[in-house]
Amino acid sequence: MTMAKKTAQLILGDGTVWEGEAFGADVSVSGEAVFQTGMVGYTEALTDPSYSKQILVLTYPLIGNYGVPGDDKDELGILKYFESNKVHVAALVVATLSEDYSHCRAVQSLHEWLKKEGIPGITGIDTRALTKNLREHGCMLGKVVMFGTDPAKVPMEDPNKINLVAHVSIKAPQVYNAGAAVKITMVDCGMKLNQLRCLCARGAQVTVVPWDYDFVTNNDWDGLFLSNGPGDPAMASKTIDYLKILLADMKSGKSPLKPIFGICLGHQLLSLAAGAETYKLPYGNRGHNQ
């Protein structure tokens, strides 16, 4: 699919304007502008619920060259090549978009995929300068405005005021690898599917539950897993309240001692339940290079 040439602007909360060429969906959106330093893995990043309602700036200069894989599933019905079943970012900003792609698993281009998903993108942006700006001023609100749209009619909405965990979490419990010897309850605060794949591959039955699920009363599990997720952890107050009860019951002997594992936002939830405080960093470490 050949891209129709159209300009778009990224307008940040500090008043700076970055103009480039639009791709993906022809829509204007707002969100929180953040950057990510991964050299590969754009399909995983875009489907990571932790990026919900964020305008993702990728610092690697060439994006899209290996296309987008298909919706293949494994024997447990879990998507193989994505971290969730949809794109979660509000918009994507890149330096150079590759319209041509080559990979044995690729079935479509990045442009085609984002267009189908309803997500806009901008290419031709000096992402190095943009990232320096975000590093100096911290993550800030922004909006992607298509040519011909009045920027004043695209409100600068703050996703940090929304309970993003509730927005991305599963709505009802779902069991994977049923009958396995070890039972894990995974609290979905915006989990990545690879967490689910890894636990199942190691012989666990994993019950994925909503963020506000009562895992204190429903305690037929050997281990509790608190996933990653987007937004302010304090917004997930119900999860924190259940964790407080669980920790108190374990300490008093009312409940048996069982392992609890929190990763990313899940770790923050566990910390809040234990009495710690959290605060938002100016910009997070979003990347996976080693």
Side-chain angles (χ1 to χ4, degrees):
M1 180 185 295
T2 303
M3 286 172 46
K5 306 300 180 183
K6 183 174 182 178
T7 59
Q9 292 181 327
L10 170 63
I11 303 173
L12 295 179
D14 65 352
T16 56
V17 179
W18 308 76
E19 188 167 299
E21 188 175 297
F23 68 96
D26 185 7
V27 294
S28 298
V29 298
S30 67
E32 182 182 38
V34 302
F35 65 89
Q36 196 248 40
T37 60
M39 296 175 67
V40 294
Y42 55 82
T43 53
E44 290 87 350
L46 292 171
T47 53
D48 182 349
S50 292
Y51 289 114
S52 178
K53 297 189 181 296
Q54 292 185 327
I55 299 172
L56 180 59
V57 179
L58 297 179
T59 61
Y60 192 70
L62 180 63
I63 301 296
N65 53 307
Y66 54 84
V68 177
D71 294 331
D72 303 59
K73 295 182 179 180
D74 63 17
E75 64 278 4
L76 297 176
I78 305 169
L79 288 168
K80 287 184 176 182
Y81 310 123
F82 302 107
E83 295 299 347
S84 70
N85 61 1
K86 61 177 284 188
V87 175
H88 284 274
V89 302
L92 178 64
V93 180
V94 302
T96 304
L97 174 73
S98 176
E99 294 187 53
D100 298 319
Y101 62 90
S102 179
H103 194 280
C104 60
R105 296 194 184 111
V107 298
Q108 60 186 328
S109 70
L110 179 57
H111 162 65
E112 292 169 329
W113 184 44
L114 291 186
K115 187 173 183 178
K116 291 175 183 177
E117 291 280 329
I119 306 298
I122 304 181
T123 183
I125 300 293
D126 185 346
T127 52
R128 175 173 292 189
L130 175 54
T131 298
K132 286 183 176 180
N133 186 50
L134 292 175
R135 287 193 64 176
E136 290 173 5
H137 300 286
C139 298
M140 65 183 81
L141 299 183
K143 53 187 175 183
V144 172
V145 181
M146 295 293 151
F147 177 79
T149 300
D150 181 0
K153 294 184 177 180
V154 183
M156 197 86 80
E157 297 179 350
D158 187 355
N160 296 297
K161 296 180 179 179
I162 304 170
N163 186 345
L164 293 174
V165 170
H167 177 71
V168 301
S169 180
I170 195 171
K171 305 308 177 188
Q174 189 166 349
V175 179
Y176 294 88
N177 203 26
V182 177
K183 296 180 179 179
I184 303 295
T185 288
M186 176 183 283
V187 183
D188 177 18
C189 299
M191 70 170 190
K192 299 179 185 181
L193 287 178
N194 200 45
Q195 296 164 354
L196 178 58
R197 296 186 203 105
C198 288
L199 289 172
C200 290
R202 286 159 177 79
Q205 171 183 298
V206 182
T207 302
V208 181
V209 299
W211 71 282
D212 56 352
Y213 180 82
D214 182 0
F215 46 77
V216 178
T217 304
N218 302 294
N219 58 1
D220 183 24
W221 44 265
D222 301 305
L224 184 67
F225 185 95
L226 309 169
S227 82
N228 63 288
D232 183 353
M235 289 277 192
S237 57
K238 290 184 179 180
T239 314
I240 296 169
D241 289 342
Y242 283 130
L243 284 170
K244 286 180 178 179
I245 296 170
L246 181 60
L247 292 176
D249 286 352
M250 286 186 179
K251 185 177 181 179
S252 67
K254 183 178 178 180
S255 296
L257 291 176
K258 294 182 181 180
I260 305 173
F261 184 92
I263 185 169
C264 197
L265 181 131
H267 177 73
Q268 296 176 69
L269 294 176
L270 189 56
S271 300
L272 287 167
E277 295 182 359
T278 61
Y279 59 92
K280 185 179 175 65
L281 293 170
Y283 53 90
N285 177 26
R286 299 175 177 87
H288 43 243
N289 303 324
Q290 296 187 17

